[in-house]
Amino acid sequence: MGPAPHALVIPFPAQGHVIPLLELAHALVDRGFTVTFANSEFNHDRVLAAMSSEKNGMALLDRIRLAAVPDGMAPGEDRNNLVKLTVQMKEHMAPAVEELVLRSRRADARGPITCMVTDYNLGSWALDVARRTGIKSASIWPASAAVLATLLSIPKLVQDDIIDSKDGSALKQETFQLSPDMPVMHTADLAWNCIGNHGCQAALFRIIVDGVRAVANCDFVLCNSFHDAEEATFARFPKIVPVGPFLTGERNGKAVGHFWPPEDDACISWLDAQPEKSVVYVAFGSFTMFDRLQFQELALGLELSGRPFLWVVRPDIGHGAVHDYPAGFLDRVRNRSMVVSWSPQQRVLAHPAVACFVSHCGWNSTMEGVRNGVPFLAWPYFADQFVNQDYICDVWKVGLRAEADKAGVITKEHIAGRVGELMGDQGVRKRTNTLKKLAQESVKEGGSSHNNFEMFVDAMKA
């Protein structure tokens, strides 16, 4: 019997990508694979630091070898500059990843790398490495299939004069629909049209176009979604294979892949003391930023709701204004609130005390809310999050929009009113429970996502 199949898994260097790809890596280990997980050096250090701060957190490293490769960014440089980061990765990560593959053939006790699973958002370079080294390849899209479908449809969007062929900028039409049963898309929300200046957008568009071409030649295109969530998209784009929703961010009760140490025990102990379906959970992922006014309106809206709340306030969430709470706010809400810097989100959403989720609608958060049957107050920040909001509010109808006033501010009165409306809406609650059941059935043995993943595993082993 030969060595186990050895998968190299490479995420895009952002937390919303590291977490689902690390779960996929663990799922491969469960099925007999050896796995090397290649993070950027910067994120490799952050993940290790967060895991080492947890009791027994490092034990998970017995399952997966974590490797670090350079992203080309200087120490202290802004890694939220996604365009520069993406360009630098191609120059610096690609040779390091290729050397990982070649070195595994020369001297690796775990055996040679036999296949690669790469984040779609890395662009074409990772799949080019797989082609040059002769290993099998799969690309995983860690967002909604509908958004991936827009990338695969770029030639048609150009042909229909919806976007410009040179830079992807919007032409006359502000919205489009790939099929009657799919969400309406806004050209302004396309990934390359909402990041940086025009030059940055054009550069990102060219990288995405190269990625679309490269993906056409890989063995599988996986997606962290499930058939019933996006049935129309999967029918129209059969190359996209749903294998989710992943149980992201947690393994055997331990958080994995986080950049900040979750405040596990404190969060769960506090939730244990709250009545069933009473708590408003508020979290905006690893990227959303607020100005001072909006941050304070959110705080006052949670206070005005009169309900207990668990609020995740990242250290960098407010451009330096993060600790600039309204005067006396923390004292006034102390007896019915908990404010933390990061939380074990999967465990929080699964807790019976949680009644609703005020969310930026990142796809990981969307799938976690769906999988746990928690209604949403949808508050997207950029790019695909607006499509996810459309799914939540218009297609699945498991949440309500947080809507800004004429000045562009989501007011405290609106926040409090929406929370009350959401928690009292039995129709939303019923639809949420139905979708939860479909999500959970898809990943059970015999479910559509489970079967798709097993098919993928068998092909990578062959």
Side-chain angles (χ1 to χ4, degrees):
M1 187 174 178
H6 186 168
L8 175 62
V9 180
I10 317 170
F12 184 86
Q15 181 166 265
H17 298 253
V18 171
I19 286 176
L21 266 76
L22 195 50
E23 171 53 31
L24 180 142
H26 279 288
L28 290 174
V29 173
D30 291 341
R31 289 160 176 81
F33 280 73
T34 295
V35 174
T36 297
F37 191 84
N39 242 328
S40 69
E41 290 172 343
F42 181 73
N43 289 338
H44 173 85
D45 292 342
R46 297 173 81 185
V47 169
L48 280 181
M51 290 175 69
S52 63
S53 70
E54 285 195 86
K55 184 180 179 183
N56 300 322
M58 298 296 283
L60 292 168
L61 296 185
D62 293 340
R63 295 170 53 88
I64 293 172
R65 179 176 64 181
L66 299 186
V69 292
D71 61 13
M73 303 284 275
E77 200 167 356
D78 181 13
R79 285 171 169 79
N80 287 338
N81 184 340
L82 297 182
V83 176
K84 183 172 184 180
L85 177 60
T86 301
V87 171
Q88 291 286 85
M89 282 191 303
K90 183 174 182 178
E91 181 179 349
H92 295 269
M93 270 192 176
V97 166
E98 187 159 353
E99 177 56 25
L100 268 179
V101 177
L102 296 176
R103 193 189 317 138
S104 74
R105 296 172 179 175
R106 298 192 298 266
D108 193 329
R110 296 171 176 240
I113 291 170
T114 56
C115 61
M116 178 189 293
V117 184
T118 175
D119 193 311
Y120 188 104
N121 294 276
L122 291 175
S124 61
W125 65 262
L127 293 173
D128 287 343
V129 169
R131 178 180 49 78
R132 285 197 300 271
T133 55
I135 61 177
K136 294 177 182 179
S137 62
S139 181
I140 179 161
W141 176 256
S144 73
V147 173
L148 176 54
T150 64
L151 307 189
L152 299 178
S153 300
I154 284 175
K156 179 166 174 46
L157 297 179
V158 170
Q159 179 184 327
D160 293 347
D161 291 328
I162 293 171
I163 61 172
D164 187 274
S165 62
K166 298 182 183 65
D167 59 14
S169 59
L171 297 176
K172 295 179 181 178
Q173 198 169 320
E174 294 183 356
T175 63
F176 63 93
Q177 202 169 10
L178 297 178
S179 81
D181 297 324
M182 290 177 64
V184 173
M185 307 281 186
H186 294 260
T187 52
D189 296 333
L190 291 168
W192 57 86
N193 284 335
C194 59
I195 297 175
N197 56 33
H198 180 264
C200 290
Q201 292 168 1
L204 184 58
F205 178 69
R206 289 191 292 272
I207 290 168
I208 288 171
V209 169
D210 287 343
V212 170
R213 293 192 189 111
V215 162
N217 298 316
C218 73
D219 297 295
F220 284 92
V221 180
L222 308 177
C223 181
N224 181 23
S225 185
F226 60 105
H227 178 268
D228 290 295
E230 303 185 79
E231 187 173 357
T233 302
F234 294 121
R236 187 174 176 85
F237 296 86
K239 186 175 177 65
I240 307 173
V241 180
V243 293
F246 292 150
L247 188 64
T248 43
E250 182 182 318
R251 270 270 157 176
N252 300 325
K254 293 296 174 188
V256 292
H258 294 272
F259 292 174
W260 294 276
E263 299 178 30
D264 283 339
D265 296 338
C267 283
I268 302 305
S269 297
W270 183 82
L271 286 171
D272 287 344
Q274 308 306 315
E276 185 174 344
K277 288 188 170 39
S278 66
V279 173
V280 181
Y281 175 57
V282 188
F284 290 91
S286 61
F287 204 83
T288 305
M289 304 295 276
F290 289 121
D291 60 25
R292 180 177 181 275
L293 173 60
Q294 187 61 82
F295 181 82
Q296 293 207 345
E297 285 294 307
L298 172 55
L300 293 171
L302 294 173
E303 180 182 3
L304 189 59
S305 75
R307 301 175 188 275
F309 61 88
L310 172 59
W311 185 10
V312 179
V313 181
R314 248 181 24 245
D316 61 346
I317 199 170
H319 289 297
V322 67
H323 297 300
D324 196 4
Y325 295 96
F329 167 77
L330 292 175
D331 288 332
R332 294 194 301 271
V333 300
R334 190 176 305 281
N335 293 331
R336 64 173 175 89
S337 71
M338 185 173 192
V339 179
V340 297
S341 60
W342 200 249
S343 76
Q345 183 159 287
Q346 169 58 38
R347 292 178 68 196
V348 168
L349 289 169
H351 198 285
V354 173
C356 69
F357 184 10
V358 182
S359 173
H360 68 306
C361 306
W363 191 248
N364 286 339
S365 292
T366 299
M367 285 291 96
E368 287 169 356
V370 163
R371 183 170 180 150
N372 287 291
V374 180
F376 294 84
L377 178 55
W379 190 328
Y381 180 60
F382 84 127
D384 68 303
Q385 296 163 10
F386 290 95
V387 176
N388 304 342
Q389 174 187 243
D390 291 341
Y391 266 128
I392 289 166
C393 300
D394 302 332
V395 179
W396 307 327
K397 298 181 179 178
V398 295
L400 301 173
R401 282 176 168 81
E403 297 174 333
D405 63 11
K406 292 179 181 178
V409 177
I410 298 174
T411 67
K412 57 183 178 294
E413 293 85 4
H414 180 75
I415 295 165
R418 276 299 208 216
V419 165
E421 185 180 353
L422 186 60
M423 291 176 73
D425 192 325
Q426 294 305 309
V428 166
R429 178 70 61 185
K430 183 177 179 181
R431 290 187 292 272
T432 301
N433 287 334
T434 299
L435 194 60
K436 171 185 176 180
K437 184 178 179 182
L438 292 171
Q440 293 184 347
E441 287 177 348
S442 73
V443 293
K444 289 179 181 176
E445 188 169 351
S448 57
S449 289
H450 180 273
N451 290 345
N452 287 340
F453 195 78
E454 295 302 324
M455 173 190 67
F456 154 71
V457 164
D458 290 344
M460 291 294 104
K461 284 181 175 179

